Amino acid sequence: AVAAMAPCGEAAVLMLLLVLPPASAGLSGYFGTKSRYEEVNPHLVLDPLSLGPGAGGSLPASCAPLQLRAVLRHGTRYPTAGQIRRLGELHARLLRRACPAAAALAAWPMWYEESLDGRLAPQGRRDMEQLARRMAARFPALFAARRRLALASSSKHRCLQSGAAFRRGLGPTLDFGGDEVEVEVNDSLMRFFDHCAKFVALVEENDGAMCQVNAFKEGPEMKKVLEKVASALCLPVEELNADLVQVAFLTCSYELAIKNVTSPWCSLFSEEDAKVLEYLNDLKQYWKRGYGYDINSRSSCILFQDIFQHLDKAVEESKSSKPISSPLIVQVGHAETLQPLLALMGYFKDDEPLLANNYGRQAQRQFRSGRIVPYAANLVFVLYHCDHANASQEEYQVQLLLNEKLLSFHHSNETISTYADLKDYYKDILENCHFKEECELPKVNVTAVDEL
């Protein structure tokens, strides 16, 4: 009887919510790289300017910050043109279906246009403005008036706009050499992956490199989700594939992140489905940006070395009693900028690689992209000068924050390290990772898998 009603408009959406229980609250932790920043910092839902629990840190009072180097991911963005096209294709297929779920989703207004193509959403500007205000509150001495801010970005519109929004968030009271700090475009650091021929040829443009991702799409876990969604939408299962199901799932994520609403698309998925789709997203991140292939992380060493060159310079200036020429360096890139850098540093590495056939064993994995690089993700190095140090090498100390939470250093399991110890731990990367050589394509004609 319900199916015979062929609901339309708002009534149809209401019908869908009655037929399938709303589930975005249970799904939001599984959106991978399309996750809201609030998923990693839930206290921001109530107060966007809160520094959260344990905001203090463990530094002695005699330590003063000298330099802050932040690598940010852009804020919340719209879907890409390709995702919007696939959503349009799926939406059109539902127009011919009479069952309640399909009819209700067919009546959902398809408001995404291809011209939005990955651009920064208004929420993305708020993400950046609020992040800037929290950073300034956490490090007031560094963000004080008349301190120089060096702002760089990838050439992508969403990153440039995020950089401008970050600057706006610092407000007119801070004088960084005029109201408008120019955002310098620096793709060699923020999009190093585009400039690495070996990565582009053997991973980015090589379908064989994604064999684990493709195998999971055809595997039993995805098959189960596919059959369930096809049944709910009254579609023959052969009319759906993993990519279309993922587009429906990500539409749920976009509506939550961009508009803060529970989309009717969310009602197609249970929490168990969401875990499967998160794993599909994480598999792609793992093999394309994480530990899957060495070149993924090795290509980021140009950025890693640049970070330490600026820290070195600040130490030298401090030792010579000169003013620090670059106390604040903020750079805006992508999930693809941060994920390889964190892999290079050894963070979120599981004992077992992520594979198409070990989904069950990876339930407690460290490598969950939504926890690591949600929208507005940020990795911050803070260099301190400490008076009354017991030894000269303890005079300069470093802290590392990921998404505004202190990260423990691998070499000590502490959240503070002497700068000398940190450099020593990463000595091999700092001295022996040469971007040009790392990224050169092999001269001999080897298969991609052999080389990787």
Side-chain angles (χ1 to χ4, degrees), residues 304 307-309 311-312 315 344-347 379-384 393-394 396-401 407-431:
F304 189 68
I307 288 167
F308 277 83
Q309 283 161 12
L311 293 168
D312 280 347
V315 168
L344 185 73
M345 295 174 71
Y347 284 101
L379 179 67
V380 177
F381 292 76
V382 189
L383 175 70
Y384 295 88
Q393 77 232 42
E394 291 180 11
Y396 295 96
Q397 310 246 1
V398 187
Q399 283 192 320
L400 197 56
L401 296 96
L407 264 186
S408 295
F409 292 101
H410 282 306
H411 60 277
S412 64
N413 226 17
E414 302 287 336
T415 57
I416 182 149
S417 168
T418 68
Y419 185 52
D421 284 350
L422 184 63
K423 282 188 71 175
D424 187 56
Y425 181 73
Y426 288 115
K427 186 178 178 183
D428 180 61
I429 299 169
L430 292 171
E431 292 180 2

Side-chain angles (χ1 to χ4, degrees), residues 434-446:
H434 305 287
F435 184 80
K436 191 168 180 293
E437 288 79 1
E438 298 281 345
C439 287
E440 249 174 8
L441 273 168
K443 301 284 188 289
V444 289
N445 187 19
V446 294

Side-chain angles (χ1 to χ4, degrees), residues 327-437:
L328 285 173
I329 303 169
V330 176
Q331 298 167 308
V332 190
H334 306 263
E336 298 87 345
T337 312
L338 278 166
Q339 193 83 76
L341 183 62
L342 286 159
L344 185 73
M345 295 174 71
Y347 284 101
F348 309 106
K349 186 172 190 180
D350 294 287
D351 295 336
E352 195 180 347
L354 274 64
L355 302 170
N357 64 2
N358 66 359
Y359 166 73
R361 292 198 302 280
Q362 292 288 11
Q364 302 302 316
R365 67 188 179 279
Q366 293 184 62
F367 193 93
R368 291 187 64 194
S369 58
R371 305 281 175 90
I372 305 167
V373 286
Y375 294 124
N378 48 91
L379 179 67
V380 177
F381 292 76
V382 189
L383 175 70
Y384 295 88
H385 177 257
C386 300
D387 293 330
H388 318 305
N390 296 332
S392 61
Q393 77 232 42
E394 291 180 11
E395 203 178 330
Y396 295 96
Q397 310 246 1
V398 187
Q399 283 192 320
L400 197 56
L401 296 96
L402 177 66
N403 302 328
E404 301 175 77
K405 296 188 192 84
L406 288 168
L407 264 186
S408 295
F409 292 101
H410 282 306
H411 60 277
S412 64
N413 226 17
E414 302 287 336
T415 57
I416 182 149
S417 168
T418 68
Y419 185 52
D421 284 350
L422 184 63
K423 282 188 71 175
D424 187 56
Y425 181 73
Y426 288 115
K427 186 178 178 183
D428 180 61
I429 299 169
L430 292 171
E431 292 180 2
N432 301 316
C433 186
H434 305 287
F435 184 80
K436 191 168 180 293
E437 288 79 1

Side-chain angles (χ1 to χ4, degrees), residues 78-308:
Y78 292 110
T80 60
Q83 288 163 329
I84 292 168
R85 262 196 305 277
R86 280 194 289 276
L87 177 59
E89 181 191 329
L90 178 59
H91 191 242
R93 285 186 194 184
L94 301 179
L95 295 172
R96 303 186 298 276
R97 300 288 150 188
C99 65
L105 284 171
W108 169 82
M110 169 63 186
W111 62 274
Y112 297 102
E113 295 173 1
E114 285 184 39
S115 59
L116 290 171
D117 190 23
R119 293 175 90 82
L120 195 69
Q123 179 57 46
R125 287 193 277 279
R126 288 192 289 275
D127 292 338
M128 287 290 130
E129 288 172 7
Q130 290 162 358
L131 176 62
R133 290 175 67 181
R134 292 193 303 272
M135 242 184 233
R138 196 182 295 268
F139 301 104
L142 281 175
F143 284 85
R146 293 180 297 285
R147 303 302 298 268
R148 180 171 176 268
L149 169 67
L151 201 49
S153 164
S154 113
S155 57
K156 292 288 182 182
H157 194 267
R158 57 185 170 272
C159 295
L160 287 163
Q161 282 205 329
S162 290
F166 184 92
R167 169 65 191 90
R168 267 198 315 278
L170 297 175
T173 54
L174 295 178
D175 175 21
F176 292 108
D179 187 42
E180 284 308 311
V181 174
E182 197 165 327
V183 182
E184 173 208 349
V185 172
N186 192 333
D187 278 343
S188 65
L189 290 183
M190 292 296 98
R191 294 185 65 84
F192 50 79
F193 41 89
D194 283 345
H195 300 265
C196 185
K198 184 176 180 180
F199 169 77
V200 171
L202 300 187
V203 181
E204 183 75 58
E205 294 178 353
N206 173 23
D207 289 340
M210 293 298 106
C211 60
Q212 294 297 326
V213 179
N214 295 328
F216 189 73
K217 284 180 181 178
E218 303 298 326
E221 294 88 3
M222 272 305 301
K223 190 166 181 270
K224 194 175 164 189
V225 176
L226 210 68
E227 286 170 351
K228 182 186 158 186
V229 172
S231 170
L233 296 176
C234 306
L235 285 170
V237 73
E238 53 275 10
E239 273 197 36
L240 279 182
N241 58 34
D243 292 338
L244 285 174
V245 169
Q246 199 173 32
V247 159
F249 182 61
L250 292 180
T251 303
C252 170
S253 80
Y254 282 120
E255 304 269 278
L256 184 65
I258 295 166
K259 291 182 159 185
N260 197 27
V261 299
T262 297
S263 170
W265 290 94
C266 303
S267 300
L268 293 174
F269 304 98
S270 68
E271 191 170 351
E272 201 47 57
D273 302 332
K275 289 176 183 177
V276 173
L277 289 158
E278 179 198 30
Y279 193 70
L280 177 59
N281 188 328
D282 286 351
L283 265 179
K284 183 181 175 186
Q285 290 297 316
Y286 183 89
W287 288 96
K288 210 167 196 170
R289 306 294 175 184
Y291 291 103
Y293 302 109
D294 278 349
I295 190 60
N296 299 348
S297 58
R298 296 293 283 184
S299 61
S300 74
C301 70
I302 187 170
L303 174 57
F304 189 68
Q305 289 164 337
D306 186 77
I307 288 167
F308 277 83

